[in-house]
Amino acid sequence: MYPKKNIMLFVVLCLALVLSACSGGNGNGKNGGSDPAPGNKGTAQNGEEKKPAEELSKVELVWYYPQPAIPSDLKSVESKVNELIEPKINATVKLMPLAFGDYTQKMNTVIASGEKADIVWTSNWNFNYVQNQSKGAFIPLDELIDRYAPDVKASMPDFVWEATRIDGQIYGVPNYQTVTNREGFVLQKEFYDLYKPEAEMKQLADLAPLLEQVKQKHPDLIPFAVGRQGMFSYMNRTYGLESVLANIAVIHLDNPDKIVNMYETEEYRQYLDTMRDFYEKGYINEDAATLKSIGDYQKAGQAVGGFHNVLKPGGEAEAKASQGGKDMQYAFTTDAYVGTNTIITTLQAIPVHSGNPERAMMLINLVNTDPELFNLLAFGIEGTHYNKNSDGSVELVPDSAYTASDWVFGNVFNGYTLAGKDPNVAKETKELNESATPSPIIGFKFVTESVSAEIANVTTVIDEYGPGLNTGTVAADRILEEFQGKLKQAGIDRVIEEAQRQLDEWKASVQ
């Protein structure tokens, strides 16, 4: 029923991983086929008669997804989840959370071995959606969505679905949340109010007057906190660019037909010069080139300024918790925009070896349309893991044995509002999703499989030269030319050439 192109290739590519991985089972029982959708008897869209839940053969679904930590009280939540879904679709689900850092490696093993799995979380940044689809890991979902999840389809704008399409077909159901990016500075409000420059802050250099005041009057603080990756990859739109391949290839927004090497743009050199100036003046933390995360400085309230590319409604209140309890202020450098990579950040896919694709889609439909089920997955059991206030907001029980990242499961707009959070945030986020400026290449996805070796080599060079350059620790005059030469030796021109070829083909196909 479902195309399985490239499956053998995918299995061969992953065989070495399977052999070297720690031993594990290939499932826990025979995968039974799934029956048509439950519900009242009637005519389905394809003319087949739907069956009520009691007429469906009972199946167990297995759902893999990532979380910051594995909850110790997972089984009690899983039991409650099954109490909700079994009467509706005559299925139970085995929840299989994995740590974010382990997710890609472990899911590669699951898919390559054919281990039982019916729903798998995927994204553009962890267990890559596009790359795994190109290897034949997922089934197309258009027919399943139309038949078993039409309400889910109607709940998201058309452009969201278009961004998930690969060769014209949908392979992942987005977990609907904020799908926009908006770039800007994140500043402690106290200092923003005291030292806000007269001119609007739209470029990195515009922040200098504020940073100088902090440096002179508050020498115990870090005016602008930077980690070893630097900031340029978060500032593409601020510099009039858009990423095609993270940290490697971009387009200029005023010339979106041409893909270029990010490290040969005038904008990158401008960024390097500004960062070098900031570093020499003491605005940037001295350990920037070796610092993996600025989180410790933020938690201690020492980081006055930073930069982020996903500034969302309500984000200032959320940032306060991670910034040592300091009130935070956004200073936007761009308007909100939406592109392929802002949308395919969190999705559910059905693996090609699922024995129950129809029932898996029924569960995806329930998670996205049943607020009780979504909130159970997101917050746990009321009275045990969270408590509900009279205004409908919820407070998490301290040191609860169940916590979860809600955006991993489904439509976050079905979720409860945490106490202290503006209840209008959901409405504002939806409005922003639908009004954001679209990318000129929305829908395009660069499939990197044919240049994976070159990308690996290029990444190695970037890891060597990037930290010093991108944090201002090393002057561009000293090593930028050498860096660019090493990138060419590593094969960056071949990567750009292949990306350009795919973009040209894609543009021709959508005209």
Side-chain angles (χ1 to χ4, degrees), residues 168-458:
Q169 294 185 296
I170 297 168
Y171 290 85
V173 176
N175 299 316
Y176 195 37
Q177 52 162 348
T178 177
V179 297
T180 66
N181 275 14
R182 193 175 188 186
E183 297 176 356
F185 301 106
V186 184
L187 306 164
Q188 289 189 19
K189 192 174 188 304
E190 173 188 356
F191 300 109
Y192 176 87
D193 291 341
L194 282 173
Y195 308 129
K196 181 181 177 181
E198 293 183 6
E200 193 173 12
M201 290 179 282
K202 288 296 184 183
Q203 294 293 331
L204 185 57
D206 297 337
L207 195 62
L210 185 154
L211 301 181
E212 177 63 23
Q213 291 290 326
V214 173
K215 175 66 179 175
Q216 294 299 324
K217 299 179 181 179
H218 309 274
D220 56 323
L221 299 177
I222 299 169
F224 194 61
V226 179
R228 71 187 301 272
Q229 290 183 328
M231 294 288 179
F232 191 73
S233 61
Y234 301 107
M235 305 181 78
N236 283 173
R237 284 271 173 162
T238 298
Y239 281 97
L241 308 171
E242 179 174 333
S243 175
V244 173
L245 179 61
N247 299 318
I248 294 176
V250 297
I251 59 169
H252 285 87
L253 293 175
D254 58 4
N255 184 18
D257 294 334
K258 183 175 176 58
I259 296 175
V260 298
N261 175 348
M262 184 178 88
Y263 301 102
E264 291 184 347
T265 62
E266 293 181 6
E267 290 81 6
Y268 180 62
R269 178 56 193 258
Q270 179 186 343
Y271 162 84
L272 294 182
D273 289 343
T274 303
M275 289 295 283
R276 180 61 177 170
D277 179 58
F278 281 10
Y279 187 84
E280 289 185 314
K281 290 178 177 176
Y283 301 161
I284 294 173
N285 43 297
E286 292 184 357
D287 62 348
T290 58
L291 186 66
K292 292 183 178 180
S293 172
I294 60 175
D296 289 341
Y297 288 140
Q298 292 173 328
K299 289 177 185 177
Q302 292 179 289
V304 172
F307 193 92
H308 208 283
N309 64 338
V310 187
L311 302 184
K312 59 184 181 178
E316 288 159 312
E318 292 180 7
K320 182 176 180 178
S322 63
Q323 300 274 353
K326 304 288 186 179
D327 289 329
M328 304 305 291
Q329 174 73 46
Y330 286 165
F332 299 108
T333 59
T334 70
D335 292 329
Y337 76 97
V338 62
T340 302
N341 287 329
T342 72
I343 294 171
I344 59 171
T345 58
T346 172
L347 313 97
Q348 309 297 345
I350 297 177
V352 72
H353 63 259
S354 168
N356 306 290
E358 290 88 359
R359 209 73 66 87
M361 183 56 68
M362 294 178 205
L363 178 55
I364 292 172
N365 177 65
L366 283 177
V367 172
N368 282 277
T369 58
D370 185 332
E372 183 180 6
L373 176 57
F374 176 82
N375 283 300
L376 178 57
L377 289 163
F379 297 104
I381 300 168
E382 183 177 0
T384 301
H385 306 119
Y386 73 91
N387 293 306
K388 189 180 291 186
N389 298 318
S390 59
D391 62 358
S393 66
V394 299
E395 294 188 42
L396 302 181
V397 173
D399 301 319
S400 166
Y402 185 87
T403 57
S405 296
D406 59 351
W407 50 267
V408 165
F409 298 112
N411 188 333
V412 300
F413 299 111
N414 287 325
Y416 295 134
T417 299
L418 286 172
K421 191 172 182 179
D422 185 348
N424 293 318
V425 164
K427 179 173 181 273
E428 293 172 4
T429 301
K430 281 186 175 182
E431 291 173 350
L432 201 61
N433 283 353
E434 296 171 7
S435 63
T437 302
S439 160
I441 58 170
I442 190 169
F444 173 66
K445 304 168 192 70
F446 178 26
V447 180
T448 61
E449 188 175 7
S450 64
V451 287
S452 58
E454 289 87 347
I455 291 173
N457 292 335
V458 166

Side-chain angles (χ1 to χ4, degrees), residues 1-2 34-35 37 45 139-150 153 170 173 350 354 356-362 364-365:
M1 177 178 179
Y2 303 104
S34 185
D35 295 298
Q45 291 186 9
I139 65 171
L141 302 180
D142 297 74
E143 292 182 9
L144 291 172
I145 292 169
D146 287 342
R147 187 169 182 205
Y148 303 116
K153 190 170 186 179
I170 297 168
V173 176
I350 297 177
S354 168
N356 306 290
E358 290 88 359
R359 209 73 66 87
M361 183 56 68
M362 294 178 205
I364 292 172
N365 177 65

Side-chain angles (χ1 to χ4, degrees), residues 161-174:
W161 291 106
E162 288 305 311
T164 70
R165 293 189 183 277
I166 303 173
D167 295 330
Q169 294 185 296
I170 297 168
Y171 290 85
V173 176

